[in-house]
Amino acid sequence: MVVGGVALCVALSTGVRSEERAVELYLTDALTFPSRPVLLQARLTEHRPGGDHGMPKEPVEFAIQGRVLGTVTTDSEGWARLEFAPKMRGNLALRARWATAAKDEVIEGRGSLLSWERRRPMLLVDLAVLVEGELKIEAPSPELSGIIPDPGMILGKPSAAAPAELRKLAKFYYNVVYIDRTGKGRIEVIQSWIRKHEFPPGMIRILPATAVALPDLLESLKEEGWENVSGGIGRSADFAEVLVKNRLKTIILPLPGKDDQFPRRAIVLNDWSRVRRHL
């Protein structure tokens, strides 16, 4: 059995690589509430010089909290989908597994099934406020181009105290929605980084870099039945303006040296240590 990591082939997947190919399996986190069915989705891909290609007609096994739910065959794009209705609430451990017929290659993808109560408040967190410095958009080095997938966005080191403070907020008060406002991120890369640095599990939304993306997200959450968005933590003036306009609690942690103007109702802080007292 060959199990290992593909360089930068991250995520919720444990990759396997041979001389001929690099394969990865990743899961998208799923959001629902107890007893409501949700579609669990995993994609099995093979990376080739021309890009990622889905692997069709392959068996993928799903499990939740260690209990096997069933096996689904991938479609023409490499997607395996299984409908499931959780009975319990919480952030449930989700796993998908693929193995070759000879069992000499095994890949697992890991994610979360977010079975949330509608009444618990949601907290929007801009990924930019979780990292030291600025988010970086970076392609693979020339020697690795065509061998590994483009990560799209490099998150780097987490901001001091951010993981611990956000864990406390998630444990006692909020369900967390992570937002990539660059439109460049890959869900599996973001999930891997969140897990590596021990941030709390949460829903990830990739938004296009447009002025209407954040208001549209708020509207779509309401349409999906998640009306209890309570507030958000971000870094930029436009993030603050949208939240203040929607009468949401707004915490801003600007980059040092920036001289941006923020709405009067936004609470501007220097570091994460004081965030909880204002939410």
Side-chain angles (χ1 to χ4, degrees):
M1 179 172 67
V2 180
V3 182
V6 181
L8 291 184
C9 193
V10 281
L12 300 181
S13 38
T14 304
V16 59
R17 183 177 177 182
S18 67
E19 292 299 320
E20 292 80 19
R21 63 179 184 172
V23 177
E24 71 175 318
L25 175 66
Y26 66 85
L27 281 161
T28 58
D29 285 346
L31 174 62
T32 186
F33 53 83
S35 300
R36 185 179 77 168
V38 67
L39 201 60
L40 308 180
Q41 302 185 88
R43 192 177 188 219
L44 184 66
T45 61
E46 180 177 0
H47 189 70
R48 304 173 189 169
D52 291 340
H53 294 264
M55 297 174 60
K57 299 181 180 179
E58 295 288 344
V60 173
E61 178 188 83
F62 288 90
I64 191 80
Q65 298 288 98
R67 179 172 66 90
V68 175
L69 302 178
T71 300
V72 181
T73 301
T74 56
D75 64 15
S76 61
E77 297 296 321
W79 284 100
R81 296 179 172 92
L82 179 68
E83 187 175 87
F84 176 70
K87 294 182 179 179
M88 60 189 300
R89 62 181 174 85
N91 299 319
L92 311 179
L94 182 61
R95 176 183 62 79
R97 183 175 184 270
W98 169 82
T100 62
K103 305 296 182 184
D104 60 345
E105 294 178 344
V106 175
I107 293 180
E108 288 192 352
R110 297 184 182 276
S112 296
L113 172 55
L114 309 171
S115 180
W116 289 350
E117 289 185 355
R118 289 175 182 265
R119 294 173 296 175
R120 193 175 194 192
M122 278 185 170
L123 183 68
L124 306 182
V125 180
D126 189 343
L127 285 174
V129 82
L130 299 181
V131 303
E132 287 186 356
E134 298 187 54
L135 291 174
K136 297 179 181 179
I137 308 300
E138 185 174 331
S141 60
E143 61 270 18
L144 295 177
S145 181
I147 299 175
I148 62 172
D150 180 355
M153 179 176 62
I154 308 300
L155 287 161
K157 294 182 179 180
S159 181
E165 292 300 312
L166 201 54
R167 281 199 306 272
K168 292 172 185 175
L169 286 168
K171 182 176 181 180
F172 298 110
Y173 308 107
Y174 297 99
N175 289 323
V176 179
V177 179
Y178 296 102
I179 303 171
D180 167 28
R181 302 181 66 216
T182 70
K184 300 291 186 179
R186 292 177 57 192
I187 287 180
E188 67 272 20
V189 173
I190 296 168
Q191 288 172 327
S192 178
W193 186 84
I194 286 171
R195 202 172 263 108
K196 175 182 177 181
H197 295 290
E198 299 183 341
F199 284 96
M203 173 53 65
I204 297 170
R205 293 294 177 97
I206 309 293
L207 305 185
T210 65
V212 298
L214 189 54
D216 286 350
L217 172 64
L218 293 173
E219 186 61 33
S220 68
L221 287 171
K222 289 181 181 180
E223 291 174 356
E224 294 168 16
W226 304 100
E227 299 185 6
N228 199 11
V229 178
S230 176
I233 308 172
R235 176 152 280 171
S236 63
D238 59 337
F239 180 91
E241 288 167 2
V242 172
L243 266 64
V244 167
K245 184 178 180 180
N246 283 271
R247 300 182 179 180
L248 303 176
K249 295 177 184 176
T250 306
I251 305 294
I252 298 295
L253 285 80
L255 281 171
K258 292 284 186 177
D259 193 25
D260 295 335
Q261 297 297 314
F262 299 102
R264 182 174 55 84
R265 288 177 53 210
I267 299 170
V268 182
L269 303 174
N270 293 324
D271 59 68
W272 275 87
S273 64
R274 299 170 55 211
V275 167
R276 274 186 298 142
R277 72 184 66 177
H278 292 284
L279 284 173

